[in-house]
Amino acid sequence: GRTVLVTGGTGGIGKATALGLAAMGAHLAITGRDRGRAEDAAREIRAAGGGQVDVFVADLSAQSGVRRMADEVLQRLSRIDVLVNNAGGYWNTRHVTADGLERTFAVNHLAPFLLTSLLLGRLQRSAPARVVTVSSNVQVMGRIDFDDLQGERSYSGARAYNQSKLANVLFTYELASRLQATSVTANALHPGVARTSFGAEDPGRAQRLFTPFMRPFMKSPAQGAATSVHVASAPDLEQVTGRYFASSKPRKSAKRSYDEAAAARLWQVSAGLTGLAAPATTE
């Protein structure tokens, strides 16, 4: 009976997460870039016993798209019990968004930062509520380069992706700290490597060479979604916050992810880049 919003819910791990939560009786809302794909996914979730499924269409690389979608979500969903920040991408070459920002950082970090901030009032009103952010084990290789966050001086697809996934964890820990006096929790997770079309838009050389050979050993999307489903729904996690999960169990994240000064600085920089003086805590 809880209302769950899953970003990037039209395919891969996002759709599998939505299917898993719908099977448990949740009211699902999914986001996607393409209306046709989003409606197809919604039909599939309904057919699997998911009941009502709300669809929101937005390009999360554009902050105007995130804001417009957040407005629509607030108009249509009277409550949000769980927000799953699942949408993300990998681009081997440097792309710039409509806002003039590097695409990996914009989609993987700034979009969930902005969307969570805009929906925080509704989450607090629906409490106990959860914010679940999908990171990756590559966060252990990540480094926040405050002198070149946008990869303008030197760009590598892998470095940009690793940085964005560490940013997911730093954001989660800082959010958990800021929400300590509330009944809204914030946790991050590693889903595992699953057989999806992730990164296919602009793959790196290693990805092109090795993915075909690795596919038989990768998790299915449903297996990849298992940790997201667990962190979003497990009753014993209702008051657990500021943690990182892998294989549905709490794990230590990268040493750099516990740097509170870096987390606070990243929050301030992100607020500046998204035009949020301070994230709203009330509607």
Side-chain angles (χ1 to χ4, degrees), residues 2 5-6 32 58 110 115 128 133 139 146 185 202 212 234 242 278:
R2 300 204 173 167
L5 175 62
V6 180
L110 292 176
L115 182 64
T133 300
Q139 47 90 26
F146 285 106
T185 61
D202 179 15

Side-chain angles (χ1 to χ4, degrees), residues 125-143:
R125 217 178 74 190
S126 310
R130 308 180 190 198
V131 177
V132 178
T133 300
V134 178
S135 177
S136 162
N137 265 0
V138 300
Q139 47 90 26
V140 299
M141 295 183 280
R143 192 171 67 84

Side-chain angles (χ1 to χ4, degrees), residues 57-60 62-70:
V57 179
D59 177 357
L60 299 183
Q63 290 179 19
S64 60
V66 177
R67 290 177 180 278
R68 193 168 54 247
M69 187 180 80

